[in-house]
Amino acid sequence: MAAEYDLLVIGGGINGTGIARDAVGRGASVMLVEMGDLAGATSSASTKLIHGGLRYLEYYEFNLVRKALKEREVLWRAAPHIAWPLRFILPHHKDLRPAWLLRLGLFMYDHLGGRELLPATKTVRLDQAPFSQGLKNLFKKGFEYSDCWVDDARLVVLNARDAADRGAEVLTRTKCISARRDNDVWNVVLKDQDTGEERTVTASVLVNAAGPWVAEMLNGVVGANNTSAVRLVKGSHIIVPRQFEHDRCFIFQNGDGRIIFAIPYEDDFTLIGTTDVDYQDDLGDVRISDDEIAYLCKSASEYLAEAIEPKDVVHTYSGVRPLYDDGAKDAKAATRDYVLELDGGEDKPALLSVFGGKITTYRKLAENVLAKLEPYLPFKRGVWTAYAPLPGGDFRVTEFDHQVDQLVRDYPFVGKQFASRLMRHYGTDARLMLGDAASLDALGPCFGHDLYEVEVKWLIEREWARSADDVLWRRSKLGLRISKEESLRLDAFISDYLADRPGAAA
């Protein structure tokens, strides 16, 4: 029997949306289902870096580091609005890794990954301005190197946007409750989480990209009796008031062998993380523990001039990484590389499950998934995503400031700060959002901190937002600045708008 879809992807995180985008761009008919919001779990809880993973060199993960390093500039070029370069400073701690080892690691980091635009490593003085500001005066020397930043949740949404624009059907708040093989197709039962309604669809191929729920999906929903082990590792971050004025990020070594980052965040804050803790609790209620907060505060305070205490924390977030269990003793040593397992094909419809993965390597992961599935899908073209911009990213990496200036020129009422935020979130799509508006009044009511009705409607209609949390913590980070009263007013507006226009998002 003919299936309704060539490919059904379960999971609306970075891996699922990346696979859906790549597959539909090759000519396959695609459906993606996500039981909550896009990037609602692990994919919005990263350290938000496109990086090779300097510390993975110590675990001889050279292939993983090489793959990741090569992707930094590819992703920066594809999304210059939500991704940009950062310079990291690694202070030399005389009681930890020796300077020669750090130099060797950074030399490899510079030369493993096809760096073209990012500047190379150099030695810096930490007892002189500007980098002395914010650090204890114990540290005299450091090493400065390059990686990139990305808005992780927006990266997910833009992959979903591009997939939908190319013809994929993207359903959020839709849970896959069973999937069974029926001759040459999958019969998949889906449940709308809001209405409770169920529907059955058929697909030729199933991809299980459910993140932390990957094993549950295999053994419960699909009934596969899979024996592959998943190691769930929680990573948590804290956000505190800004600790230093310069734009560099710090990477701090700890005595336990781990590292943490201290990164300028949303202009007025510093992001500190992450932890690595084995996790066996409720995946629907992942949150930081008091011990993790204390660990991050203590670790950062070893280096920062001003000690950080738990009372200084203004926000936290946590996510669970679904790592492939390679038997490592410690969570920090478990492999971050991905593993793809294919079941079926030829005489029965194929199922491919994704274990592990990183934000940085999601695009390569998607290519590898589709290489395994190519015999079972009607592709009309080959690999294509390396040179295709994501929505709003159709400008050169060197042109961001120019794009902001042009937006202010054409819409002078928005001002430089508002224009910069719009460009960081939407890129050239900001012009589509603003349309022919000639004043702030034309943007509708303001919900706080330059969040106007026109933007909220865009997020509902074009980006699947369905709640204030979707808007304030995943589509943006305005939750750091908007009051509880403003958030409640936003939630009420979204509810009323959806009631008047059901099914607003495609």
Side-chain angles (χ1 to χ4, degrees):
M1 67 184 280
E4 297 171 74
Y5 299 93
D6 297 320
L7 176 65
L8 193 151
V9 180
I10 301 169
I14 189 58
N15 290 334
T17 57
I19 293 165
R21 177 197 182 218
D22 195 345
V24 73
R26 299 188 194 206
S29 60
V30 176
M31 171 182 275
L32 179 141
V33 296
E34 161 56 44
M35 67 178 178
D37 183 30
L38 296 170
T42 307
S43 292
S44 59
S46 75
T47 313
K48 310 186 194 311
L49 300 179
I50 304 173
H51 68 140
L54 184 61
R55 74 182 182 88
Y56 304 146
L57 292 173
E58 289 189 311
Y59 299 104
Y60 308 109
E61 296 247 25
F62 300 118
N63 185 51
L64 171 63
V65 174
R66 182 183 298 109
K67 280 190 298 188
L69 288 172
K70 287 182 176 180
E71 284 296 287
R72 293 178 304 178
E73 295 188 12
V74 173
L75 299 185
W76 179 22
R77 286 185 172 102
H81 47 331
I82 62 167
W84 58 92
L86 294 177
R87 291 291 276 174
F88 288 79
I89 294 176
L90 171 59
H92 174 234
H93 192 306
K94 62 182 179 62
D95 296 325
L96 297 176
R97 296 169 180 86
W100 68 265
L101 182 61
L102 299 179
R103 287 194 193 95
L104 175 61
L106 287 166
F107 177 83
M108 295 177 67
Y109 207 72
D110 269 352
H111 292 88
L112 274 175
R115 178 180 53 83
E116 295 179 8
L117 300 175
L118 296 171
T121 299
K122 67 177 182 180
T123 303
V124 293
R125 294 282 300 271
L126 299 182
D127 55 355
Q128 297 177 0
F131 309 133
S132 56
Q133 196 262 328
L135 282 182
K136 289 180 177 178
N137 59 14
L138 299 174
F139 303 101
K140 309 300 182 186
K141 180 172 68 174
F143 303 95
E144 185 181 68
Y145 69 95
S146 294
D147 267 325
C148 291
W149 175 265
V150 70
D151 186 325
D152 51 6
R154 291 212 57 75
L155 184 66
V156 173
V157 169
L158 293 182
N159 271 274
R161 272 272 320 277
D162 201 41
D165 289 347
R166 295 174 186 274
E169 185 172 358
V170 177
L171 301 177
T172 63
R173 291 168 169 80
T174 301
K175 189 172 185 177
C176 176
I177 59 175
S178 75
R180 294 291 184 268
R181 290 181 169 105
D182 180 8
N183 294 319
D184 58 346
V185 301
W186 285 97
N187 279 327
V188 183
V189 180
L190 306 175
K191 182 177 182 178
D192 186 306
Q193 299 282 72
D194 294 329
T195 67
E197 294 181 3
E198 294 184 5
R199 63 183 283 201
T200 300
V201 300
T202 56
S204 299
V205 176
L206 197 64
V207 166
N208 174 14
W213 292 269
V214 61
E216 178 182 318
M217 188 63 56
L218 272 173
N219 298 320
V221 175
V222 179
N225 295 319
N226 187 275
T227 58
S228 296
V230 180
R231 184 168 189 168
L232 300 178
V233 176
K234 180 175 64 166
S236 297
H237 297 76
I238 60 175
I239 298 170
V240 299
R242 187 149 187 169
Q243 299 296 301
F244 40 89
E245 292 304 315
H246 56 77
D247 63 355
R248 298 316 198 256
C249 310
F250 288 115
I251 174 172
F252 297 145
Q253 306 173 75
N254 296 328
D256 60 2
R258 282 200 44 74
I259 58 94
I260 64 167
F261 295 98
I263 302 172
Y265 187 66
E266 295 293 314
D267 296 328
D268 300 321
F269 304 94
T270 297
L271 175 67
I272 297 172
T274 182
T275 58
D276 269 321
V277 181
D278 283 310
Y279 188 79
Q280 297 176 334
D281 296 325
D282 183 2
L283 288 171
D285 186 27
V286 181
R287 61 184 66 191
I288 197 168
S289 67
D290 290 342
D291 286 346
E292 287 177 289
I293 292 175
Y295 173 85
L296 292 173
C297 288
K298 181 176 183 293
S299 297
S301 296
E302 290 287 325
Y303 289 84
L304 295 175
E306 297 292 331
I308 295 174
E309 300 179 9
K311 65 180 178 60
D312 300 320
V313 176
V314 299
H315 186 66
T316 68
Y317 65 86
S318 304
V320 174
R321 310 178 190 100
L323 307 181
Y324 191 82
D325 193 350
D326 59 357
K329 180 180 179 182
D330 296 323
K332 69 175 184 289
T335 182
R336 264 53 176 179
D337 210 349
Y338 52 81
V339 174
L340 309 177
E341 291 197 347
L342 179 64
D343 176 66
E346 297 182 2
D347 59 337
K348 62 179 181 178
L351 165 68
L352 188 142
S353 296
V354 178
F355 298 85
K358 290 160 48 72
I359 286 278
T360 306
T361 53
Y362 87 90
R363 195 195 63 81
K364 291 299 294 183
L365 181 151
E367 288 186 345
N368 290 342
V369 165
L370 297 183
K372 285 181 173 288
L373 296 177
E374 189 169 12
Y376 319 114
L377 292 171
F379 292 152
K380 298 174 183 177
R381 66 189 291 196
V383 294
W384 64 277
T385 57
Y387 305 101
L390 287 163
D394 51 340
F395 59 93
R396 295 178 185 274
V397 296
T398 56
E399 291 181 348
F400 180 83
D401 291 338
H402 174 70
Q403 291 289 334
V404 172
D405 291 341
Q406 292 293 98
L407 195 64
V408 173
R409 184 200 68 184
D410 295 341
Y411 299 91
F413 58 89
V414 300
K416 185 69 173 283
Q417 185 175 11
F418 187 16
S420 294
R421 183 181 74 77
L422 290 176
M423 188 58 60
R424 275 291 175 223
H425 287 174
Y426 307 104
T428 55
D429 276 355
R431 294 177 176 278
L432 297 178
M433 180 193 299
L434 294 173
D436 59 1
S439 68
L440 287 177
D441 288 343
L443 304 184
C446 181
F447 297 95
H449 204 77
D450 287 335
L451 177 64
Y452 290 89
E453 179 182 350
V454 67
E455 183 176 355
V456 176
K457 287 183 176 178
W458 173 278
L459 294 174
I460 294 170
E461 295 171 356
R462 303 294 297 273
E463 297 193 6
W464 298 273
R466 291 292 179 271
S467 72
D469 275 358
D470 295 351
V471 172
L472 299 179
W473 293 110
R474 285 180 285 277
R475 307 305 185 278
S476 74
K477 299 299 177 285
L478 292 174
L480 290 167
R481 305 178 185 280
I482 281 182
S483 69
K484 182 177 180 180
E485 292 74 19
E486 290 167 331
S487 176
L488 290 172
R489 188 160 61 90
L490 174 62
D491 239 343
F493 172 82
I494 293 172
S495 294
D496 291 344
Y497 187 79
L498 290 172
D500 292 337
R501 297 187 60 184

